[in-house]
Amino acid sequence: MSPAAIIAPSILSADFAELGKACADTIAQGADWLHVDIMDGHFVPNMTFGAPVVTKIRPHVDRPAGAYGKGTFDCHMMIAEPKRWVKDFKSAGCDLYCFHYEAAISSTAADSPSGTSDAKTSPKELIKYIHSLDMQAGIAIKPSTPVDVLWEILENSVQEERPDMVLIMTVEPGFGGQSFMASELPKVAALRKKYPELNIEVDGGLSEKTIDQAADAGANVIVAGSAVFGASDPGEVIRKLREAVDVRRGKL
Ligand SMILES: O=C(CO)[C@@H](O)[C@H](O)COP(=O)(O)O
């Protein structure tokens, strides 16, 4: 059976002047995780915030330290140097550090966890490093990246080098409120077929209108920004997104 639905509203669409309150309210309205979009203006053409802001908003969400589940901070690192910020985000209270495959393979040695050779940072090495700091590790791919790049990483027999979650972007990363790219769903279906128990996250353009397609393909971790924060009743949207995923469990 595929994993249960995890609804992770993207706080990119929240009121940044009231970010702590927005996080607390969203969890109270039924969200499981909070999706925290970190953008550096290099990897994507937009900037958000860094670890100091995460440090400030983290205490607004009451949850046991080290426990995964309700209140997990799912940090989506749309940044050019993913290794560089792992420790800072751990200290800030990040639970799941999700980096981009494209950024990892183009990072330099100085940015690599070992920092000892001139080899590119390897996604496996980065996953192991994230795990060594007791965070979950996610790996994300952009629409232009084929899903095939993930097979070698997922098939690794060394458990600490395997990701806990894969994120398939269903928009070009950088901005909220874009249109859902159904063209990315075959990637989700291919992953679900091979990995029935993997957490597969989709991000971008998810709403009550698009959730059925994503759930049919096998996604179970649902990021939604504008659909949740723009709703008059965010709790109702969260409930509908969850229901759409959960009715398909066992059928995939
Ligand atoms: O990572 C991103 C954008 O790069 C997302 O998390 C968006 O913030 C999702 O927003 P909506 O498409 O749901 O409005």
Side-chain angles (χ1 to χ4, degrees), residues 38 49-57 85 87-93:
I38 308 299
F49 49 80
V53 171
V54 177
T55 302
K56 288 290 181 189
I57 59 177
W85 303 102
K87 277 190 182 157
D88 291 50
F89 275 78
K90 170 66 185 174
S91 304

Side-chain angles (χ1 to χ4, degrees), residues 10 12-13 35 37 39 76 78 169 171-178 203-206 223-227:
S10 163
L12 185 63
S13 295
H35 185 83
D37 284 314
M39 305 185 188
H76 177 194
M78 287 167 273
M169 289 304 298
V171 296
E172 286 299 336
F175 299 92
Q178 302 183 75
D203 179 10
L206 272 304
V223 176
S226 44

